[in-house]
Amino acid sequence: MTNTTTDPVETAEDFLALLRHLSAHFAGQGPDVDDVLLRWAAALPERAPDPGWSGLADQLLGALAAPPAGPAEPAPLGEELDVATSGELRILLRALAADYARDRAWTADRVARGLWAGDGGGWASGSLAGFLTSWESWLDSSLGLPPRFSDAPPIEPVTWTSVAWQLDAARVYE
């Protein structure tokens, strides 16, 4: 299935196809990851029912269509945040945006000073297309399997907690 932004997303396979489509669409261009995460955070209500695949797709597409939020202020991710509600996911999205900005600033500083930047810091990807590809790859390799860690939630049904795990995994998955 080749997903376009007008195809309905009802299943995990539909969501994977959407991530592939968006990754290809933003290859070599597009907003920065932190900007999209901030747009998403701004649109999330304090309380909402668990999103399911269609709700998650709607949120992601809404964030991509929203006006730019601008770059996040660099800050480390800090302590792990427990996410059980849409409001808590909003906090995590802001923290991830700040961590992404910090990571990109660190990498740019190292490169500007002629220093080795390693593999680019803590984020596996420095672009929106790469982040979406990482998300799709991690999700595709994890669906249908029991969680890899004892404290990890199942991916399905799609809850705020499982969305948080997906985003954190996409952040580092190569």
Side-chain angles (χ1 to χ4, degrees), residues 48 95 98 122-123 133 141 167 172:
W123 282 70
T133 297
S141 70
L167 294 173
V172 297

Side-chain angles (χ1 to χ4, degrees), residues 37 40 44 50-51 56 59 77 80-86 88-93 96 131 135 138 152-155 157-171:
L37 295 172
W40 188 354
L44 268 178
D50 285 331
L56 182 56
Q59 290 170 23
L77 187 56
E80 232 175 88
L81 301 169
D82 290 330
V83 174
T85 67
S86 56
E88 291 167 343
L89 182 65
R90 186 175 43 185
I91 293 166
L92 176 65
L93 289 167
L96 287 171
F131 177 71
W135 190 356
W138 178 85
I155 295 171
V158 180
T159 64
W160 298 115
T161 305
S162 71
V163 171
W165 272 87
Q166 290 178 49
L167 294 173
D168 197 44
R171 179 176 67 85

Side-chain angles (χ1 to χ4, degrees), residues 23-82:
S23 180
H25 177 76
F26 289 112
Q29 63 176 349
D32 285 327
V33 173
D34 56 335
D35 181 48
V36 172
L37 295 172
L38 290 175
R39 293 180 201 187
W40 188 354
L44 268 178
E46 180 64 32
R47 293 271 180 219
D50 285 331
W53 292 117
S54 66
L56 182 56
D58 290 346
Q59 290 170 23
L60 179 57
L61 292 171
L64 292 167
E73 288 294 321
L77 187 56
E79 64 186 65
E80 232 175 88
L81 301 169
D82 290 330

